[in-house]
């Protein structure tokens, strides 16, 4: 594996799950693999899980790790080419990227959608510049359109908890006060579409995602109907994708909050969320604290997904 930006690059899913199981059962078996190899993690946005789980994964593989929070202590970076840099930005990404590449063997990048231009976000202009100019394998730690390490962890978690060949998995939009990217739902839809599961997406009208990611999934606008018989409920907020409304919050309707009443419509479903989650907006205290909530093992599997991917990249160096 050279770069990792989408779960589609996992290849054969059975093999990917087998590799993940091996990593989970033998976390320190490959300590020599990463010896004298350096991982550089670049964050343009905040993180708790991705930062800690990816660093832990790299340490399990014997790697050295450097973390840079671009907005805390680094020079302010210009990202547009051709601008006269007489403002507050001291350095251009086009110098910063190859410099960063020269200090490491693998680069992880977190760079969310900026909601300034749908075209720029959906062309992954920041992530692709790292791929083009760093000279190193690059993996996404949530870019503008996808969060593949999260999705891989979600898929591993569903593999561990499913009791049927073909569970019903429902991804439901839920309210949130601020505009959030579509990366997690896009990526989750992409992942579910690789499986044979009964995958349903439910959201209010106006919250349609890019069909490049959802094609193949059933869309149901009635949340109650969608939840009927669900084995897994995957909650997530996202801002609008469509046209003029790109990046806008169109609704904060708390009748979409995942509550005990909503979960009662399901087949005693497990509740999932990538975290961080706003309680009593996305999900009630009661549901997230219930025995059917698997958000903590889901987050714990972020080490497994990151270590499985990092190991593949190390093997290809
Ligand atoms: C981010 C998002 O929704 O994409 C990160 C989730 C992993 N969430 C927030 O910014 C709250
Ligand atoms: N789920 C996830 O990626 O969390 P962080 O934003 O805290 O890294």
């Amino acid at each position: 594996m050279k770069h990792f930006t989408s779960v589609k690059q996992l290849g054969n899913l059975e093999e990917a799950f087998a590799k993940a199981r091996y990593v989970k059962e033998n976390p320190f078996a490959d300590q020599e693999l990463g010896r004298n190899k350096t991982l550089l993690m670049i964050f343009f946005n905040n993180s708790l899980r991705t930062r800690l789980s990816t660093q832990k994964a790299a340490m399990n593989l014997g790697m050295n790790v450097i973390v840079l929070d671009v907005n805390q202590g680094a020079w302010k970076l210009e990202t547009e080419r051709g601008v006269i840099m007489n403002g507050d930005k001291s350095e251009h990404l086009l110098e910063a990227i190859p410099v960063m590449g020269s200090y490491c063997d693998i680069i992880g990048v977190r760079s969310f959608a900026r909601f300034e231009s749908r075209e720029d976000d959906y062309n992954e202009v920041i992530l692709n510049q790292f791929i083009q100019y760093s000279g190193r394998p690059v993996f996404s730690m949530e870019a503008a359109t996808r969060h593949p390490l999260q999705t891989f962890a979600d898929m591993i978690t569903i593999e561990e908890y499913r009791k049927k060949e073909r569970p019903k998995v429902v991804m439901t939009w839920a309210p949130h006060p601020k505009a959030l990217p579509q990366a997690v739902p896009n990526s989750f839809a992409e992942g579910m579409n690789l499986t044979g599961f009964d995958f349903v997406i439910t959201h209010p009208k106006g919250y349609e995602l890019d069909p490049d990611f959802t094609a193949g999934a059933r869309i149901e606008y009635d949340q109650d109907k969608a939840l009927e018989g669900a084995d897994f409920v995957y909650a997530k907020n996202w801002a609008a994708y469509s046209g003029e409304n790109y990046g806008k919050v169109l609704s904060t309707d708390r009748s979409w909050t995942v509550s005990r009443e909503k979960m009662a419509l399901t087949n005693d479903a497990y509740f999932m969320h990538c975290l961080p989650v706003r309680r009593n907006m996305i999900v009630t205290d009661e549901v997230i604290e219930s025995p059917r909530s698997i958000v903590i093992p889901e987050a714990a599997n972020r080490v497994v997904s990151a270590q499985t991917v990092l190991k593949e990249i190390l093997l290809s160096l």
Side-chain angles (χ1 to χ4, degrees), residues 4 38-43 47-67 106-110 138-142 147-150 153 299-311 313-314:
F4 180 70
T38 300
L39 168 65
L40 176 57
M41 297 199 283
I42 309 288
F43 288 93
S47 168
L48 185 152
R49 277 143 292 274
T50 304
R51 174 187 304 261
L52 298 179
S53 63
T54 311
Q55 177 155 4
K56 171 68 174 146
M59 284 165 21
N60 287 354
L61 291 164
M63 297 185 81
N64 301 312
V65 182
I66 311 175
V67 184
I106 302 176
I107 303 188
V109 180
R110 166 162 286 202
V138 171
F139 65 95
S140 163
M141 300 195 297
E142 184 172 338
H147 192 358
L149 289 177
Q150 179 65 50
N301 275 335
R302 290 293 306 275
V303 177
V304 182
S305 68
Q307 193 170 336
T308 307
V309 167
L310 274 174
K311 181 176 164 180
I313 297 174
L314 283 169

Side-chain angles (χ1 to χ4, degrees), residues 271-308:
F271 175 81
M272 298 178 72
H273 189 280
C274 63
L275 308 182
V277 74
R278 291 193 185 226
R279 285 178 175 220
N280 305 309
M281 288 298 293
I282 303 283
V283 57
T284 62
D285 293 299
E286 209 173 25
V287 170
I288 199 164
E289 290 169 3
S290 82
R292 303 307 282 176
S293 167
I294 54 172
V295 298
I296 307 302
E298 179 185 1
N301 275 335
R302 290 293 306 275
V303 177
V304 182
S305 68
Q307 193 170 336
T308 307

